[in-house]
Amino acid sequence: MIDIYDLKKEYTEEDIPTQALRGVTFSIDKGEFVSVMGPSGSGKSTLLHIMSFLDRPTGGSYKFQGKSIDEMTDQELARVRNKDMGFVFQSFNLLSRLTVYDNVEIPLLYSDIPPKKRQTLVEEAVRSVGLEEKLYQEAGRLSGGQKQRVAIARALVTDPNVIFADEPTGNLDSQSGLQIMEILKSLNDKGRTVVLVTHETQTAEFANRVIRIKDGMVESDKFITANNINRKNFK
């Protein structure tokens, strides 16, 4: 699904170049649950932005579902991003004055899906994260854990091929964070591809594979044969 080879990203500020990525290479197959780990400034967020079509590399290659990002226009990237990718962010990115229903429906408004079908998809997505009783409550009145579950429902509503989760437990208490990771794990168990960016070891251990990034390069890439998740002392 994701094929990255010798990926590079350089930023220039005040004529001073900074290498955020220095030749990253790896592939992710459909159905994997992969954690990308690294300290602040390691390049993991830059890598996520490129993988999720929010940015373009300055070198190397990136193929998503067999097609090179270089062959796609900005309009094509936006279309693929909306259809095939779901996103869960640390800060939730919900519109607080809109209801749960309205927030989850947003990605569908850019499609040609009729209103009745949209309603069914929204209700199914919200039910999948256990918040059907909050369907018409304002998002701003929810707890942090509930907001992140709404964000997951929004990510699921377009039935994407991959979910990108950027520090999804970073603003949550340990119990809420555990619930979010259990949901992501359950989605992966059902065949959904999940790519998680985190700096937390216990969060990363929910994945089946951990890619460690340091100084813009892959430091290690290891498969986890058994998930020894310490749920009791999560985070």
Side-chain angles (χ1 to χ4, degrees):
M1 175 175 287
I2 290 173
D3 190 14
I4 286 172
Y5 179 74
D6 197 29
L7 201 70
K8 299 181 178 71
K9 181 65 180 182
E10 180 180 288
Y11 297 101
T12 301
E13 186 174 346
E14 296 182 356
D15 296 325
I16 301 175
T18 299
Q19 294 287 341
L21 297 175
R22 303 168 182 265
V24 171
T25 299
F26 62 83
S27 296
I28 296 175
D29 293 332
K30 182 176 176 60
E32 281 197 85
F33 189 163
V34 178
S35 287
V36 179
M37 284 195 74
S40 178
S42 63
K44 64 183 186 298
S45 293
T46 299
L47 179 60
L48 178 70
H49 289 164
I50 293 174
M51 283 195 291
S52 58
F53 294 176
L54 289 172
D55 201 356
R56 289 181 182 264
T58 51
S61 67
Y62 171 31
K63 292 182 180 179
F64 181 76
Q65 298 188 133
K67 188 166 184 179
S68 173
I69 189 174
D70 292 332
E71 299 173 0
M72 303 169 72
T73 65
D74 289 345
Q75 187 175 16
E76 287 175 320
L77 291 177
R79 184 165 58 249
V80 172
R81 189 172 184 271
N82 187 62
K83 178 178 180 293
D84 292 328
M85 299 177 178
F87 301 90
V88 183
F89 302 97
Q90 177 178 346
S91 56
F92 318 132
N93 287 9
L94 301 179
L95 298 176
S96 60
R97 293 191 178 182
L98 294 186
T99 65
V100 168
Y101 182 99
D102 291 335
N103 271 282
V104 175
E105 186 186 28
I106 287 172
L108 299 176
L109 299 178
Y110 300 96
S111 70
D112 56 0
I113 298 173
K116 193 67 176 177
K117 177 63 173 177
R118 290 205 306 265
Q119 179 180 348
T120 299
L121 293 173
V122 171
E123 290 174 350
E124 288 176 351
V126 173
R127 190 178 304 115
S128 73
V129 298
L131 283 179
E132 54 267 38
E133 76 282 1
K134 305 289 186 181
L135 190 63
Y136 295 106
Q137 185 166 319
E138 285 186 4
R141 300 173 66 86
L142 302 176
S143 69
Q146 290 171 333
K147 289 176 181 177
Q148 197 61 295
R149 285 154 67 187
V150 174
I152 293 175
R154 182 184 57 195
L156 289 172
V157 76
T158 59
D159 192 25
N161 286 318
V162 59
I163 294 176
F164 292 107
D166 187 5
E167 300 280 7
T169 65
N171 285 338
L172 304 178
D173 61 69
S174 58
Q175 185 59 38
S176 297
L178 176 59
Q179 291 173 353
I180 294 305
M181 292 312 302
E182 295 280 15
I183 291 172
L184 291 175
K185 181 65 176 172
S186 174
L187 292 172
N188 176 250
D189 289 342
K190 295 174 183 176
R192 190 84 58 175
T193 306
V194 179
V195 179
L196 167 74
V197 167
T198 183
H199 67 277
E200 300 165 345
T201 300
Q202 287 182 307
T203 301
E205 287 174 348
F206 277 82
N208 304 112
R209 178 182 171 196
V210 177
I211 300 174
R212 293 183 181 273
I213 304 293
K214 184 178 181 180
D215 297 330
M217 297 180 287
V218 174
E219 183 181 41
S220 65
D221 184 350
K222 296 180 180 180
F223 287 88
I224 303 173
T225 54
N227 293 84
N228 298 316
I229 302 166
N230 190 342
R231 289 169 169 82
K232 190 173 183 179
N233 298 315
F234 182 74
K235 286 184 70 178

